[in-house]
Amino acid sequence: MSHDLHDQARQRLSRLAADPADEESPAGRLRRDAALVGRLLEAAAQEDAIAAVPDQGAEHADTEADVAAGLSLLEEMRVALDQLEAQVVMEARRRGLDWRQIARHRGLNSSQAASQRYQRLVTRLEEMRQGVR
């Protein structure tokens, strides 16, 4: 999908609700955690810039622990994103989109690829729910 299509999708969906998603919803938690990981990366970039300037050895947070904390959020973020993707695909099917249309919007090459991706996604989520993964 091109950058313009992503921007168009963002603009279209931003009109749906003025308020941000509930922090306890999958979308709200994902947004919050993504913002936290973004802050971690911004802080790391700032620390690199400060370290490059002589005589500015200011103390910083325990970056190893911060990075470890960021890594620990990734799995939960991936699960939340998988749940959201499954829900959006189910809604697309409920509203009559066929697998070919879903594939096109997902940037996949075929209806079979879209259907298989969805099946793998649902299987992975169910395995995690059952504690198999």
Side-chain angles (χ1 to χ4, degrees), residues 4-133:
D4 289 341
L5 288 176
H6 289 172
D7 287 341
Q8 290 172 1
R10 283 183 191 93
Q11 288 174 353
R12 179 173 188 85
L13 294 177
S14 68
R15 290 181 272 162
L16 292 177
D19 296 329
D22 174 22
E23 283 292 317
E24 293 310 310
S25 71
R29 287 190 308 269
L30 182 60
R31 181 177 37 250
R32 180 198 63 217
D33 291 348
L36 292 171
V37 171
R39 282 191 224 155
L40 166 70
L41 296 175
E42 288 170 10
Q46 288 174 355
E47 287 180 14
D48 289 344
I50 290 170
V53 177
D55 299 328
Q56 292 212 358
E59 287 198 35
H60 300 286
D62 182 355
T63 56
E64 185 176 327
D66 292 344
V67 171
L71 288 171
S72 71
L73 291 178
L74 293 177
E75 185 59 29
E76 188 173 334
M77 291 169 62
R78 185 169 287 112
V79 170
L81 190 57
D82 287 350
Q83 289 170 335
L84 290 171
E85 181 180 349
Q87 290 171 344
V88 172
V89 170
M90 284 188 284
E91 185 62 20
R93 295 291 294 155
R94 188 179 76 77
R95 292 183 182 242
L97 272 73
D98 62 30
W99 288 111
R100 181 180 42 78
Q101 292 169 303
I102 293 170
R104 187 180 73 237
H105 290 291
R106 292 288 299 122
L108 300 171
N109 293 327
S110 69
S111 57
Q112 182 179 8
S115 176
Q116 288 174 344
R117 176 172 171 78
Y118 175 73
Q119 289 304 317
R120 284 191 306 269
L121 182 65
V122 169
T123 298
R124 184 170 63 241
L125 289 170
E126 183 58 24
E127 287 173 351
M128 289 175 13
R129 188 186 72 75
Q130 293 179 2
V132 176
R133 274 189 185 226

